[in-house]
Amino acid sequence: MKHSTLLLFTTLASLTIASCSPEKSGPYTTSSAPVKTTANTDYRTPTPSGPMQRNADNNFSSNFNKGAGVTFSRVSVPGPYVALTFDDGPHASNTPRLLDMLRSRNVKATFYVIGKNVDMYPNIVRRTVAEGHEIGNHTYTHPKLSGLSKDRVFSELQKTDDAIYRAAGVHPRTIRPPYGALLQSQREMIHGSFGYPTIMWSVDPLDWKRPGASVVTSRIISGTSNGAIILVHDLHGSSVDAMPATIDGLLQKGYRFVTVSQLIAMGGSAAAQ
Ligand code: NI
């Protein structure tokens, strides 16, 4: 298992290097070649012993159409598919703990990482990608982008894209702006230059206020519907504590977990913020 994961990772990394080297000519240029992204859909979680509920295996494509939309807060999809997203990591202990929870349930999620944390914990990002999760761009220093110049915005995103690539050999495909603060003109500019759609959310349990794990769980379960994008912060231990009951409750209701890119690719139409 270890060996085949390594082989797959090596393949992903070399493909990425081959397709993306031309864009390194400057910070604001992006190649028109497709960017290899993080969806490692071949990864299969080993079956754990015991009665753990498991998310269904899936081979959904993560190659969404660039014209699908500039902003998504949820996606219109033809089934009970939802995307769990985790912001502000990686965190030294909470993120690996969360990865264990996701792995035992075969759940694939999307991590909106902060670039400076990626540079601090590159091995955690590498593990996240190896286990089939997607990585998104959440800026390098977590500023409020809506008040920043174009140059600052671009450098925040480029530095993070570079850090993710150094750590895990893949490029992010979407951005989530810190505090959800991004002007429409900035969203269009980022979409044009980096190819990232802006990913907001449709379910917000306000977990950063630390209401307690059971409150986070009940808010998420009651707020989720088909095509939902669920916002959680893996920075906070209490948010991670809420995940086993949250995931098990959603699986029990028939929901299936996919990454953000897979959700967009299967739906294609934005329910714009
Ligand atoms: Ni954040």
Side-chain angles (χ1 to χ4, degrees):
M1 180 52 69
K2 247 184 182 167
H3 187 59
S4 62
T5 303
L6 182 65
L7 270 179
L8 177 64
F9 178 74
T10 309
T11 310
L12 276 174
S14 54
L15 282 171
T16 310
I17 290 162
S19 64
C20 296
S21 45
E23 75 180 322
K24 291 299 165 195
S25 52
Y28 302 165
T29 55
T30 50
S31 164
S32 57
V35 174
K36 202 71 189 169
T37 187
T38 55
N40 178 3
T41 53
D42 289 337
Y43 179 81
R44 291 288 176 269
T45 300
T47 307
S49 56
M52 186 82 73
Q53 283 200 83
R54 284 166 61 83
N55 188 44
D57 280 339
N58 75 63
N59 278 318
F60 298 122
S61 170
S62 59
N63 293 317
F64 58 83
N65 184 337
K66 201 184 166 196
V70 172
T71 298
F72 294 87
S73 54
R74 55 178 300 278
V75 183
S76 298
V77 292
Y81 299 103
V82 297
L84 253 184
T85 65
F86 296 98
D87 284 18
D88 298 352
H91 179 276
S93 57
N94 290 325
T95 306
R97 195 158 66 85
L98 172 62
L99 288 171
D100 290 345
M101 294 169 180
L102 297 175
R103 185 168 64 178
S104 65
R105 291 165 177 80
N106 197 35
V107 167
K108 305 301 184 290
T110 305
F111 289 78
Y112 285 98
V113 295
I114 296 175
K116 68 176 167 50
N117 295 351
V118 173
D119 279 338
M120 252 189 292
Y121 307 113
N123 290 344
I124 299 177
V125 179
R126 197 170 306 141
R127 175 186 166 189
T128 305
V129 170
E131 294 187 359
H133 304 291
E134 178 170 333
I135 306 290
N137 195 324
H138 196 49
T139 74
Y140 198 81
T141 63
H142 207 266
K144 202 168 181 179
L145 295 174
S146 53
L148 298 186
S149 69
K150 181 177 175 179
D151 282 1
R152 280 286 311 282
V153 170
F154 273 54
S155 95
E156 283 282 338
L157 298 183
Q158 188 67 53
K159 279 175 74 177
T160 306
D161 196 306
D162 292 345
I164 293 167
Y165 185 77
R166 274 196 304 276
V170 295
H171 287 285
R173 265 197 148 181
T174 63
I175 174 185
R176 170 165 289 148
Y179 317 104
L182 198 60
L183 306 175
Q184 180 61 26
S185 58
Q186 293 177 308
R187 296 179 192 199
E188 286 166 11
M189 195 174 72
I190 291 167
H191 188 248
S193 302
F194 288 84
Y196 301 157
T198 294
I199 307 302
M200 306 298 278
W201 53 84
S202 61
V203 181
D204 180 2
L206 301 174
D207 61 305
W208 55 273
K209 292 186 179 176
R210 300 172 193 239
S214 63
V215 174
V216 171
T217 293
S218 64
R219 284 176 180 169
I220 292 175
I221 291 177
S222 65
T224 297
S225 57
N226 291 0
I229 297 173
I230 302 163
L231 170 66
V232 189
H233 297 80
D234 58 326
L235 183 67
H236 303 307
S238 56
S239 302
V240 173
D241 293 342
M243 287 304 105
T246 302
I247 292 166
D248 294 344
L250 291 173
L251 286 172
Q252 185 68 43
K253 291 184 82 172
Y255 288 109
R256 295 292 174 256
F257 295 94
V258 297
T259 68
V260 163
S261 286
Q262 287 177 322
L263 196 71
I264 297 174
M266 75 170 60
S269 73
Q273 179 88 341

